[in-house]
Amino acid sequence: MRRALAGIALAATLMVALSFLIPLALLVREQARDRVTTAAEQRAAALSPVLALTTRAEDVKQAVSGLSSPDRLAVRLPEGELVGTLHAPPEALERAVRNRETLAMDTAEGWVYLQPVVLAEDRVAVVQAYVPGPDLTRGVWASWGVMSLLALGLVGGSVLVADRLGARVVRSSRSLKRAALELGAGDLGVRVEPDGPPELQEAGVAFNTMADRVVELLAIEREMVADLSHRLRTPLTALYLEADLMGGSPGARRVTAAVAQLESELDSIITAARTPLAASGQGAGTMPARPCEVTEVVAMRLDFWSVLAGQQDRLCERSFTPRPTPVRFPEDDLAAVVDALIGNVFRHTPQGTNLAVRVERTDRHVLLTVDDAGPGVADPDAALTRGVSVGGSTGLGLDIVARAARAADGELRITRGPMGGARVQVTFGLVAAKL
């Protein structure tokens, strides 16, 4: 933009300068020529009274010497005698005598003016005024040089002013762009100082207002999440009481353990929701510094779900790679991904439906695969749409998994598996692949 503004100013000012400079230069040249030719004509006219009084060569020569040099002013007397130096072509001189016609012409040496003077007894004398070629353009080149310098100064000044204005606009737009990128990266505290033209200042004020509104909406959303999570404590308390009434049976212990884990998850949600974004030091999309092992997390969560699988007569196969599977992803979030995938199998397939969980590793990614022998997913694209469910649930589970995969430099795919049902594959970028 800065170069474009400077180029526009250069082109516009140069066109204006040339539109004035060219006619003015021609006018200066014509004025210089007119000045010296007019003076020569006046000198020639001054000899007419002298010739009317006398045509003696000595008297005319003395008069010519008083007006100018014999090289600049000459007279052809009626008898043909010449006083001074003749510069006009002979045919032009004869024409002036014969036709008694005033002539002005350019020659190879300069400019010649012939003025006939009619005397008594029909005699004709001709006065010649001569201006050398260099005198016709004297001072013209100096005037052109001064005008050119002035034009260059005006053009340079306009370009400089346009460049300064462009620099101000570019600085303001870059500041606004940088702040927008930082806000998009999760820095909710970034603001801009409105600067530049009025339009960019208004854009800066609008950006600051938008950023404040985003922070306000996020705070409201986090408070809402915390409040909703807190409201779940009431049914959890009821489950605790029911487990106590069941005594110390294995089922009661499992219910108590599950409720305790759920309560721990709720505590984590409430704590995270009530933590200010600025104090957390993490924006959207930031990853933790400490990696976690996918195999360990998947095995731990699969142990939890295996109990329920045994109660529902589900065969749960597992296959884990012996190689390390470190990924830069929070352990709790990875556990939530595993729970969402396995939980979908339990929710959307009938009891007795088998499933298989595998963890594999490639050179750059860790692949988590969950297969089931259920009816499968008829529309995988719809299943990945947030808020759209293909099985009567909230439609958020697979969306959570998809966002987690993208945050870990991976992806989520839903296909038909070898067991006849759905195959859900999630990839996570290896730590070694990122370093």
Side-chain angles (χ1 to χ4, degrees):
M1 180 183 293
R2 184 174 177 179
R3 290 183 180 180
L5 290 176
I8 292 173
L10 175 62
T13 312
L14 194 59
M15 292 176 61
V16 173
L18 289 177
S19 65
F20 282 96
L21 187 61
I22 293 176
L24 187 59
L26 297 176
L27 180 61
V28 167
R29 187 181 66 179
E30 292 300 322
Q31 285 184 342
R33 181 186 178 91
D34 291 344
R35 185 178 65 252
V36 295
T37 56
T38 300
E41 291 175 3
Q42 290 175 352
R43 288 193 298 269
L47 282 177
S48 297
V50 176
L51 293 174
L53 296 175
T54 179
T55 57
R56 291 179 62 242
E58 293 296 330
D59 295 337
V60 173
K61 185 176 181 179
Q62 185 177 1
V64 168
S65 300
L67 291 174
S68 181
S69 65
D71 185 61
R72 301 288 186 93
L73 194 61
V75 180
R76 180 192 178 278
L77 297 176
E79 293 78 13
E81 185 177 358
L82 185 63
V83 177
T85 304
L86 183 66
H87 293 277
E91 58 273 14
L93 185 61
E94 291 301 326
R95 177 182 171 186
V97 173
R98 183 177 62 254
N99 298 334
R100 301 177 184 182
E101 178 184 358
T102 300
L103 301 176
M105 65 191 72
D106 291 314
T107 65
E109 300 176 350
W111 180 80
V112 176
Y113 175 74
L114 298 177
Q115 179 179 339
V117 179
V118 181
L119 303 176
E121 301 177 359
D122 202 28
R123 296 182 302 162
V124 178
V126 179
V127 180
Q128 172 199 269
Y130 168 71
V131 178
D135 288 358
L136 294 173
T137 58
R138 180 166 298 174
V140 173
W141 289 104
S143 300
W144 284 2
V146 172
M147 290 188 295
S148 299
L149 290 176
L150 289 176
L152 289 176
L154 290 175
V155 171
S158 65
V159 172
L160 181 61
V161 172
D163 180 72
R164 292 296 89 198
L165 293 176
R168 185 184 178 192
V169 172
V170 170
R171 184 172 58 251
S172 301
S173 59
R174 285 180 178 174
S175 175
L176 188 59
K177 170 190 173 183
R178 184 169 53 252
L181 291 176
E182 291 177 0
L183 181 64
D187 186 1
L188 300 181
V190 64
R191 297 294 184 273
V192 297
E193 185 67 28
D195 191 15
E199 293 80 5
L200 284 179
Q201 292 184 13
E202 293 176 1
V205 172
F207 175 84
N208 292 339
T209 304
M210 177 193 68
D212 293 337
R213 183 58 176 165
V214 168
V215 173
E216 180 181 352
L217 291 176
L218 285 177
I220 294 174
E221 182 180 359
R222 293 167 72 87
E223 284 296 326
M224 184 180 298
V225 171
D227 292 343
L228 291 176
S229 301
H230 186 74
R231 290 168 60 183
L232 292 176
R233 291 184 179 277
T234 300
L236 286 179
T237 303
L239 288 177
Y240 268 126
L241 296 176
E242 289 294 331
D244 288 340
L245 293 177
M246 293 171 62
S249 63
R253 288 194 297 271
R254 286 196 298 269
V255 171
T256 303
V259 172
Q261 182 179 1
L262 182 56
E263 186 175 19
S264 176
E265 293 291 340
L266 287 177
D267 290 338
S268 300
I269 293 175
I270 294 173
T271 302
R274 294 190 179 276
T275 301
L277 291 177
S280 66
Q282 294 183 359
T286 58
M287 302 299 294
R290 189 170 63 182
C292 71
E293 282 288 338
V294 176
T295 303
E296 295 179 0
V297 176
V298 174
M300 177 185 66
R301 298 312 303 157
L302 194 56
D303 290 340
F304 171 80
W305 287 99
S306 296
V307 177
L308 183 58
Q311 294 177 354
Q312 295 186 359
D313 296 327
R314 297 177 185 267
L315 178 61
C316 184
E317 301 178 359
R318 64 177 70 189
S319 176
F320 299 148
T321 177
R323 302 169 61 189
T325 55
V327 295
R328 289 196 180 277
F329 198 70
E331 184 175 330
D332 293 341
D333 292 347
L334 181 57
V337 168
V338 178
D339 289 342
L341 295 178
I342 300 179
N344 279 341
V345 176
F346 280 83
R347 280 190 294 271
H348 303 304
T349 62
Q351 295 189 17
T353 302
N354 299 332
L355 71 150
V357 179
R358 287 190 298 276
V359 177
E360 303 168 285
R361 170 176 165 165
T362 65
D363 292 337
R364 301 183 59 86
H365 292 88
V366 176
L367 178 62
L368 171 62
T369 305
V370 178
D371 291 321
D372 64 70
V377 179
D379 190 352
D381 293 334
L384 294 176
T385 303
R386 182 176 178 85
V388 176
S389 174
V390 294
S393 61
T394 60
L396 298 179
L398 288 178
D399 179 73
I400 294 173
V401 176
R403 288 190 289 113
R406 289 193 296 268
D409 294 339
E411 61 178 349
L412 169 64
R413 293 194 302 268
I414 302 177
T415 58
R416 176 72 66 173
M419 299 179 67
R423 162 169 280 191
V424 182
Q425 292 180 316
V426 187
T427 57
F428 302 94
L430 278 170
V431 173
K434 297 181 181 180
L435 296 179

